[in-house]
Amino acid sequence: MTVGEPGTARIAVDLLGGDHAPAVVVDGALRACQADPALHLLLVGPLEAAGEIFGALPPSEHARLSTLPIAPGDPVDSWVESGVRSAVLAVAQGAADAVLSAGNTGATVTSAALGLGRRPGVRRPPLAAVLPTRAGRLVLLDVGSSVDPDEETVAMHARLGSAYAKVVHGVTEPRVGLLTIGTERGKGDRLRRALPSLLGGLDLPGGGRYIGLVEGNDVVTGEIADVVVTDGFTGNVLLKGLETAYAEIGSPQRPTPPRAALLLGVDGTVVVCHGAASGLDLAAGIAFAAQLHRQAAVAAMAEMIETQRGVS
């Protein structure tokens, strides 16, 4: 994996996001802070929850913590969603370098698209997850943002996924496949039947190339593709099924990638964890957000895509 120079990373943590928030988020934030002495956290949410983290760290470490209070309001949905909106705004205003949330995916994607802006050509920013495979690791997108995309949206997601694999994982000439139910010609729904000719003609960033149709077993082995694109509905079903299988029977490799997805196509670093994420998952998600910031990964991906589109 390509790693940037070490340095301070300021992560805005949505304390209200997740099925068991704020307790599990407090646990994850504390674990992340203890593991990385160069990590600074902006704790967005109730002051009582943020106070638990202050109380668990020695006073000498308190300078690495700051708060952005969110007070309970009515209705509850607006109160909870205000946490991720405020965290995104902190990045937009330069008060934080990245966002971590395990809250509602739709609210997170909308907040990021409106608060940070979308990159040129990106209509529906996708969520990209990294899965362990027998061959190494694989980028799967979309895993929940665009449940019913059109062909042009999936084509842009292929570009974003190719750039992700190149910049974050250092993959030379990423191989990009389209997930479907069979590799025979004409298999799949209308979207899958229409996409191969479009994807086959794309000039993908990072030296990427479209390698054709792939099935679910190819996602597990990782032997023929480095990036797999699909709609957000199918991707989310596959991701949750694989995560559960890995948790129950073990994953193909150790250590496993963080159980967190990066929102691609927006002008900032936004990492999303599952609503049922554990404290360990959230700590890994925060560390992932810090790593991406230190690599300047989002800016590098955007530059790669925009340069490639300019010469294609």
Side-chain angles (χ1 to χ4, degrees):
M1 181 177 293
T2 304
V3 179
E5 291 295 321
T8 298
R10 304 169 301 162
I11 311 302
V13 179
D14 174 17
L15 294 177
L16 297 171
D19 298 345
H20 307 292
V24 70
V25 188
V26 167
D27 178 39
L30 181 59
R31 290 173 183 268
C33 203
Q34 291 171 329
D36 183 353
L39 185 68
H40 289 233
L41 298 182
L42 174 61
L43 306 170
V44 184
L47 284 175
E48 313 84 73
E52 294 182 33
I53 301 175
F54 277 92
L57 292 174
S60 59
E61 298 293 307
H62 289 183
R64 296 199 286 133
L65 304 175
S66 55
T67 60
L68 183 56
I70 300 294
D74 190 24
V76 173
D77 287 345
S78 296
W79 169 43
V80 171
E81 291 181 9
S82 68
V84 70
R85 288 198 299 267
S86 298
V88 167
L89 185 59
V91 173
Q93 295 177 338
D97 301 312
V99 175
L100 183 285
S101 178
N104 179 274
T105 299
T108 303
V109 173
T110 300
S111 296
L114 294 177
L116 299 173
R118 295 170 293 178
R119 291 290 185 177
V122 178
R123 289 181 290 176
R124 301 169 76 174
L127 283 165
V130 179
L131 298 175
T133 71
R134 189 166 65 196
R137 57 184 60 199
L138 176 145
V139 178
L140 175 68
L141 72 162
D142 182 20
V143 295
S145 177
S146 301
V147 298
D148 188 24
D150 59 18
E151 293 93 328
E152 290 296 334
T153 296
V154 178
M156 174 53 76
H157 293 178
R159 294 187 181 97
L160 292 165
S162 183
Y164 186 137
K166 176 68 173 180
V167 171
V168 178
H169 298 151
V171 178
T172 302
E173 299 182 351
R175 301 164 297 170
V176 180
L178 172 65
L179 184 65
T180 187
I181 59 173
T183 57
E184 302 89 348
R185 183 181 178 86
K187 278 280 191 175
D189 56 11
R190 182 200 61 79
L191 181 66
R192 270 70 178 185
R193 293 194 299 272
L195 272 168
S197 59
L198 177 58
L199 295 177
L202 289 180
D203 185 12
L204 296 171
R209 55 190 175 89
Y210 174 64
I211 53 87
L213 303 174
V214 300
E215 299 181 65
N217 57 295
D218 299 315
V219 174
V220 175
T221 64
E223 292 174 347
I224 66 172
D226 306 297
V227 178
V228 170
V229 291
T230 187
D231 63 275
F233 181 90
T234 304
N236 189 269
V237 171
L238 176 61
L239 175 67
K240 289 177 179 176
L242 288 175
E243 285 183 338
T244 301
Y246 295 158
E248 293 294 327
I249 63 176
S251 64
Q253 68 172 26
R254 289 290 188 268
T256 60
R259 295 178 62 185
L262 173 63
L263 183 65
L264 299 176
V266 296
D267 194 13
T269 303
V270 179
V271 173
V272 179
C273 286
H274 189 277
S278 67
L280 285 172
D281 292 331
L282 288 159
I286 293 170
F288 181 46
Q291 171 206 326
L292 292 167
H293 166 67
R294 288 166 178 152
Q295 288 181 249
V298 169
M301 284 185 274
E303 181 180 2
M304 180 178 293
I305 290 173
E306 290 164 18
T307 299
Q308 181 268 335
R309 293 183 73 202
V311 299
S312 63

